[in-house]
Amino acid sequence: MRSRSRAWRRWALAAAATLAFVPGCKRQGRPSESPPTVAAPRPEPRPSTAGKGESAPMGAGVVLRGARVMTATGVIYPKADIWVVGDHIEAVGVSIKAKRNAEIVDVSGKTITPGIIDTHSHIGVYASPGLSAHADGNEMAGPTTAYARAEDGYWPQDPQVERARAGGVTTMQILPGSANLIGGRSVVVKTYPDARSVDDARFELAPAGLKMACGENPKRVYKDKGGPVTRMGNLATVRAEFQKAVEYRRSWKRYRDKLERWNSRPVDAAGDDGDKGPPDPPARDFALETLADVIEGKLLVHNHCYRADEMSLMMELANTYGFRIRSFHHAVEAYKIADRLAEHGAAASVWADWWGFKAEAYDGIRENAAMLSAAGARAIIHSDSAIGIQRLNQEAAKAMYAGRRAGIDISDDEALRWLTANPAWALGVDGTVGTIEAGKQADLVVWSGDPFSVYTKVERVYIEGEPVYDVAKAGEPESDFELGLIETAMPDRREARP
Amino acid sequence: MKRRTWLAAAAAATVGAVVGDASAAPAPPRRRSNELRLPFDHGQGRLLITHAKVHVGDGTVLDDASVHVVGSRIMAVGPGERVSAGDGAERVDLGGKWLVPGFIAAATPLGLVEIGAEDSTVDTERKDDKSIRAGYDAAVAVHADSSLIGVNAIDGVTSAAVTPVGGLVSGQVAWIDLAAGDHTGIVAKPRIAVHAHLGQTFGGSRAATLAQLSETLDDADFFDKRRAAYDRRQSRDLVAHPRDLEALVPVLRGQIPLVVEAHRASDLLALVDLAKDRGIRIVVVGATQGHAVADALAKASITAIVQPSENLPGNLDRLGARRDNAAKLHAAGVRVGIAVLDEAHNVRNVSQEAGIAIAHGLPRAAALSAVTHNLAIAYGMDADYGTITAGKVANLAAYDDDPFELKNVPTQVWIRGRTLSMRSRQTRLRDRYMDLSRFRDHDAGARR
């Protein structure tokens, strides 16, 4: 069962975490070290998943037979099999030979893709219904709140989670909002059913991200609250925070050096400056520790930033402090600097066609993602919307076809990578999910047809080999919130899902 | 200013506008003599679209048909051998591809907003503390130079019911065609409907809101019958300013609809009662719980304009939101419209919304009607819009095939019979940045 393998990983990662000095990212893996070429760590050998119930009888697994398989690796099989054993893909290919007692599921006529990954969601922190009691996404106590963590505001009962899953989303990054220049740590979750707390939903191998924001939002929120008032103030404030982090690291280094000298001093000798005991550590500051982690490459920076000029400035700032922006978010003007994004190794998480709702979004175009791909940058289609997240395939389709019409040759595989492999990379989990390859976690979506058609629906979703959604079996609402409410409003709900 | 221009144009049109070259084509159907020409009915251009698969918009499909356009109107539609245009007409052979009526964007502030967060570019609302703003006339604020017009037009949206927002009664709706830059003529018809919002838009309570709406309609009637007394200051106090009440008189007379955003079943039923009790025309927008009271809506002949993708319980009025709302309403006999609500910039995605409705059970023909014909009927504009029919305004879009599929955008759009350039500010931006090598790069020197 999932719980067993997850419990094992939890143990393994908790053991690793005890060695780390990071309070805020317990049980988290590491991002790829040097973007964009190095993959994230793969999971270590897995425990047996024998006895996994319907999905995996006694270790022989399940063969999804005969679907069109879009792997997001550059290969699209017109008709192939996927052999899932336990939580991972054992093999994929044409007429693969699975163990004789593997369960065979006929999916001919369907299309299978990797589970969709959304780099930008506020599900759980801005829940539905949007009650005032549910607004847990923006810690608007000040323009920099690097100490805040999305996971602490995540409500696993949000009815939006099950809808995202029914749209084929298996992994999503939950971000703090964009009111603050530095909003806090993100949490990457899987859309597992039955989560009672964020830890039940957490994608344990995913490193945390840091949410940052440029531009209009911080100015608007803080202009009457002590600033920043201008873009000058935005950048100056961010720079000052990273400078503090540099000095914070320095004070810890001084401490560690001192401690080392103390530990290696001759017996009975005094320490530095005649100290009689070991040195005191500096006061811990969780905000600066977060930024120090960014500088050390342990946290991935996700930067809400619309305009080309501002993204350029942020890349310069990052270069100054020795880190990279892992992904710009929204990035409606990314197409204007696609070459620079490619060179920096920054992904751009964009919408297909949102534009004009504010000045920095005025130049949005549907060809944005395609032009990024054409320049060799990493394009991602993200949602930032609990409606959009349910049809990211359609959003990618609009962007893909707009690109093709403009003469950019975007393959179906490339457009699929906008939803799978590329966001997996941005979240530092590309060694684990994002493609259909042997060894990857079996996060899979079975579609009724071409995922780039408006008429295609998600029929089944698997997370780590476990069936977590089946359009034919949709039953009572999953969130406690809708239970007993929605059946009244929707007596024949069964037909209605998703 | 613009309003005056429109009136002048309309007056001129009643005097002598003649459509087309009557000698070269069959006469258009006779129009009612009291009906005004629309202000732009003066063009003489001729267009013949041939070999089209014409999806009329009312459910019928004509294979291999021709459409003859004269000026801004459709002159004739029918089999190729029966429709001719004479010499001098521009000819477009669609080779069997689809021709559909241009989409109508319902309940949108298109033309009233350029940049959402910049108040200086937004004329969607009269911002005062009054809940009844029926006199607010969107027509005079429509901005023909708005970049949104072109962006949405090239994706097949050819008309819009431009709708103010805010308050309980927001103001008067204007019908526009997406004729970018046409300052004198972009408004086809002002004051075609009054828009309102139920929920808690007055007094912090939906009960107070309904009471206020009812009292407002009472006072509009009261004022209408006692204008002279009011002018002599021999009237009791009124719930709203006389200009705001006056704007509701055509609603009370059943001349124009009251278009009301409402979601909860109880509010929808209140509107059913309102329609019945007062004999007024009601259109509901949103109608999230419409599926639960579909029979009552159907019986009251209330059109429901829904957004199929909206399936979240965003607030308690929207419990049970479901993507097959359109299908269920349609099945119950409700006239269904589809729109991208609370949206101006991307009303072009109405085609995607129609596709989503189809994927969740709405018949295809009904979906096309829901973005064309049914909306024209809802807003009382179906004499001139909504289908590819002789006599109607030539707002047309050609597609390779299915207009709702994500792979398709129009290959050509015609608005009021004019061939659109198919360029917008967005295509211009795209073209400017397609080749980045021409831009300065401060690092380039260092790299060399």
Side-chain angles (χ1 to χ4, degrees):
Chain A
M1 217 45 214
R2 182 183 82 230
S3 56
R4 192 192 292 190
S5 62
R6 298 187 67 214
W8 176 84
R9 280 204 307 270
R10 187 170 293 162
W11 172 84
L13 289 160
T18 55
L19 305 172
F21 119 101
V22 191
C25 68
K26 57 184 176 172
R27 299 196 298 277
Q28 282 155 356
R30 292 280 175 272
S32 314
E33 275 129 31
S34 61
T37 50
V38 181
R42 299 172 81 93
E44 293 300 309
R46 295 173 184 78
S48 162
T49 49
K52 252 194 109 178
E54 56 173 310
S55 66
M58 296 310 288
V62 178
V63 178
L64 302 172
R65 175 151 288 169
R68 176 174 182 245
V69 177
M70 303 176 72
T71 62
T73 64
V75 178
I76 295 177
Y77 296 98
K79 203 171 174 63
D81 304 334
I82 303 172
W83 183 20
V84 175
V85 176
D87 64 355
H88 67 281
I89 297 163
E90 188 70 23
V92 57
V94 179
S95 304
I96 57 173
K97 289 196 172 62
K99 282 194 182 166
R100 209 179 318 147
N101 57 344
E103 183 192 342
I104 307 293
V105 178
D106 179 13
V107 279
S108 52
K110 313 297 180 191
T111 296
I112 299 184
T113 67
I116 289 173
I117 300 173
D118 188 2
T119 59
H120 196 116
S121 176
H122 301 295
I123 287 177
V125 295
Y126 279 113
S128 191
L131 305 177
S132 59
H134 284 171
D136 287 319
N138 267 313
E139 179 63 13
M140 288 184 279
T144 69
T145 54
Y147 52 82
R149 307 189 304 180
E151 64 196 76
D152 295 333
Y154 182 80
W155 184 45
Q157 295 295 341
D158 186 347
Q160 296 172 144
V161 176
E162 60 194 285
R163 286 169 174 77
R165 185 195 316 128
V169 173
T170 52
T171 294
M172 51 190 186
Q173 174 170 238
I174 308 303
L175 290 159
S178 54
N180 297 354
L181 296 162
I182 302 173
R185 286 175 189 254
S186 69
V187 61
V188 179
V189 300
K190 288 212 181 178
T191 54
Y192 302 116
D194 303 326
R196 287 179 295 170
S197 72
V198 70
D199 279 340
D200 302 326
R202 186 193 303 279
F203 189 164
E204 289 159 354
L205 292 167
L210 178 69
K211 174 68 179 290
M212 296 180 65
C214 303
E216 294 181 27
N217 290 9
K219 285 199 318 166
R220 187 176 61 246
V221 172
Y222 292 103
K223 69 173 190 293
D224 299 324
K225 294 183 187 171
V229 180
T230 63
R231 285 185 162 85
M232 294 189 290
N234 283 357
L235 265 286
T237 306
V238 170
R239 213 175 281 125
E241 289 301 303
F242 275 101
Q243 191 56 40
K244 280 188 224 164
V246 167
E247 281 145 24
Y248 183 71
R249 290 182 73 215
R250 206 177 282 148
S251 68
W252 274 90
K253 181 168 189 313
R254 269 200 303 274
Y255 160 72
R256 275 193 233 96
D257 290 349
K258 240 177 177 178
L259 184 64
E260 199 183 319
R261 285 198 294 280
W262 170 264
N263 287 338
S264 58
R265 76 195 188 286
V267 182
D268 297 333
D272 292 359
D273 312 320
D275 290 347
K276 297 280 191 301
D280 289 332
R284 248 175 115 171
D285 181 317
F286 292 143
L288 294 179
E289 206 162 279
T290 296
L291 300 186
D293 282 354
V294 168
I295 292 170
E296 288 164 24
K298 294 175 188 165
L299 279 190
L300 303 178
V301 173
H302 293 273
N303 193 177
H304 157 121
C305 211
Y306 286 76
R307 266 177 23 187
D309 54 330
E310 275 183 302
M311 286 188 272
S312 298
L313 290 173
M314 287 305 298
M315 287 189 281
E316 298 277 6
L317 185 147
N319 285 339
T320 306
Y321 286 95
F323 67 94
R324 301 276 180 96
I325 310 285
R326 188 69 162 197
S327 180
F328 285 105
H329 287 235
H330 311 335
V332 300
E333 293 188 5
Y335 65 94
K336 299 183 183 178
I337 50 162
D339 50 348
R340 291 180 180 172
L341 293 167
E343 191 178 318
H344 185 83
S349 300
V350 303
W351 294 292
D353 55 15
W354 288 20
W355 72 285
F357 43 93
K358 50 184 168 169
E360 60 193 7
Y362 193 48
D363 289 0
I365 63 172
R366 270 193 178 145
E367 295 84 356
N368 198 10
M371 288 165 77
L372 287 161
S373 280
R378 240 187 210 90
I380 293 164
I381 300 289
H382 72 342
S383 78
D384 192 19
S385 155
I387 292 287
I389 198 171
Q390 301 177 54
R391 53 154 203 253
L392 279 167
N393 58 311
Q394 295 183 16
E395 300 307 294
K398 285 188 288 183
M400 173 179 79
Y401 288 116
R404 288 184 188 170
R405 282 192 298 270
I408 303 169
D409 183 23
I410 301 293
S411 66
D412 282 15
D413 183 77
E414 175 68 6
L416 180 60
R417 291 176 67 82
W418 295 345
L419 304 175
T420 55
N422 291 357
W425 178 84
L427 301 182
V429 292
D430 49 325
T432 312
V433 293
T435 58
I436 297 180
E437 287 178 278
K440 289 273 177 89
Q441 290 185 348
D443 294 359
L444 302 169
V445 184
V446 181
W447 305 85
S448 60
D450 174 11
F452 300 125
S453 162
V454 75
Y455 304 122
T456 295
K457 293 204 263 192
V458 173
E459 295 196 344
R460 254 177 283 167
V461 179
Y462 296 84
I463 298 181
E464 291 162 36
E466 196 173 348
V468 292
Y469 173 75
D470 184 336
V471 70
K473 290 183 189 163
E476 67 178 22
E478 186 179 301
S479 72
D480 292 348
F481 171 74
E482 285 185 306
L483 190 67
L485 283 180
I486 197 168
E487 286 102 330
T488 310
M490 199 189 276
D492 54 345
R493 187 170 184 281
R494 196 168 175 282
E495 282 172 49
R497 306 197 70 194
Chain B
M1 194 64 196
K2 194 175 293 163
R3 178 177 171 180
R4 212 168 297 139
T5 310
W6 182 85
L7 291 170
T14 54
V15 181
V18 176
V19 174
D21 175 357
S23 64
R30 206 175 270 281
R31 297 171 62 82
R32 291 192 297 275
S33 58
N34 63 347
E35 209 168 336
L36 292 190
R37 285 286 175 202
L38 295 168
F40 47 80
D41 273 334
H42 47 68
Q44 296 293 322
R46 282 183 291 158
L47 169 70
L48 184 67
I49 300 169
T50 58
H51 303 296
K53 184 167 187 169
V54 175
H55 290 253
V56 174
D58 61 1
T60 52
V61 180
L62 310 171
D63 279 315
D64 197 22
S66 293
V67 177
H68 180 207
V69 174
V70 175
S72 45
R73 299 270 172 180
I74 298 165
M75 182 67 80
V77 182
E81 64 276 11
R82 302 229 320 253
V83 176
S84 62
D87 295 336
E90 182 195 346
R91 285 161 192 275
V92 178
D93 184 345
L94 288 186
K97 291 178 177 172
W98 291 33
L99 189 70
V100 302
F103 301 142
I104 295 162
T108 174
L110 181 67
L112 305 178
V113 54
E114 189 67 22
I115 298 171
E118 295 292 331
D119 287 350
S120 68
T121 74
V122 178
D123 289 309
T124 54
E125 161 172 27
R126 188 173 92 199
K127 286 183 178 157
D128 58 25
D129 57 359
K130 305 209 168 47
S131 62
I132 307 301
R133 311 170 190 173
Y136 183 75
D137 182 1
V140 296
V142 172
H143 187 208
D145 282 339
S146 167
S147 69
L148 286 75
I149 305 279
V151 165
N152 287 289
I154 64 171
D155 274 6
V157 179
T158 56
S159 299
V162 177
T163 301
V165 303
L168 163 52
V169 179
S170 310
Q172 297 167 97
V173 177
W175 189 271
I176 67 166
D177 292 315
L178 272 65
D182 186 353
H183 295 275
T184 56
I186 190 165
V187 175
K189 195 171 181 189
R191 301 181 293 281
I192 58 161
V194 173
H195 196 83
H197 298 255
L198 290 187
Q200 296 177 325
T201 47
F202 178 79
S205 147
R206 77 186 56 244
T209 301
L210 285 167
Q212 177 79 353
L213 178 59
S214 184
E215 196 178 341
T216 300
L217 293 172
D218 285 346
D219 274 15
D221 186 46
F222 178 88
F223 170 76
D224 186 40
K225 289 173 177 152
R226 295 170 182 79
R227 284 170 197 250
Y230 180 86
D231 289 343
R232 291 193 306 270
R233 302 191 174 197
Q234 291 176 336
S235 166
R236 64 168 169 78
D237 285 349
L238 299 170
V239 69
H241 190 281
R243 294 287 88 78
D244 289 319
L245 294 175
E246 192 175 26
L248 285 161
V249 171
V251 169
L252 289 175
R253 291 180 183 157
Q255 293 162 337
I256 62 172
L258 183 66
V259 180
V260 190
E261 179 172 340
H263 295 277
R264 208 170 89 173
S266 65
D267 284 338
L268 301 178
L269 292 174
L271 290 171
V272 167
D273 288 345
L274 196 69
K276 203 162 30 180
D277 296 348
R278 296 184 185 263
I280 63 177
R281 285 156 62 196
I282 298 273
V283 173
V284 297
V285 172
T288 304
Q289 294 190 337
H291 56 85
V293 292
D295 291 340
L297 293 173
K299 205 165 158 213
S301 301
I302 290 178
T303 300
I305 300 174
V306 303
Q307 183 168 359
S309 66
E310 291 286 330
N311 68 343
L312 293 172
N315 57 50
L316 296 196
D317 284 14
R318 302 188 190 205
L319 289 175
R322 51 198 286 168
R323 285 175 171 169
D324 60 355
N325 196 20
K328 293 211 161 285
L329 288 162
H330 173 78
V334 178
R335 184 180 297 121
V336 174
I338 288 175
V340 190
L341 299 174
D342 303 318
E343 177 67 51
H345 295 81
N346 273 339
V347 289
R348 55 186 172 174
N349 285 335
V350 72
S351 54
Q352 187 180 7
E353 292 288 351
I356 290 169
I358 293 167
H360 292 85
L362 187 67
R364 282 167 189 264
L368 182 61
S369 293
V371 294
T372 56
H373 191 211
N374 289 357
L375 294 173
I377 294 171
Y379 284 95
M381 295 298 289
D382 51 310
D384 292 299
Y385 291 93
T387 57
I388 301 180
T389 306
K392 292 197 184 185
V393 175
N395 286 353
L396 307 166
Y399 287 82
D400 284 344
D401 45 48
D402 184 354
F404 304 138
E405 258 301 7
L406 301 166
K407 70 182 164 72
N408 286 333
V409 293
T411 54
Q412 184 59 55
V413 175
W414 294 269
I415 291 179
R416 295 177 181 167
R418 294 217 179 124
T419 306
L420 222 61
S421 75
M422 303 306 282
R423 275 153 58 97
S424 70
R425 185 170 179 278
Q426 294 191 352
T427 66
R428 303 282 297 274
L429 280 163
R430 175 197 70 199
D431 294 346
R432 172 171 286 185
Y433 285 94
M434 194 55 89
D435 176 10
L436 296 176
S437 67
R438 73 184 188 84
F439 291 94
R440 279 178 62 84
D441 190 345
H442 66 94
D443 276 343
R447 275 200 299 274
R448 276 197 298 272

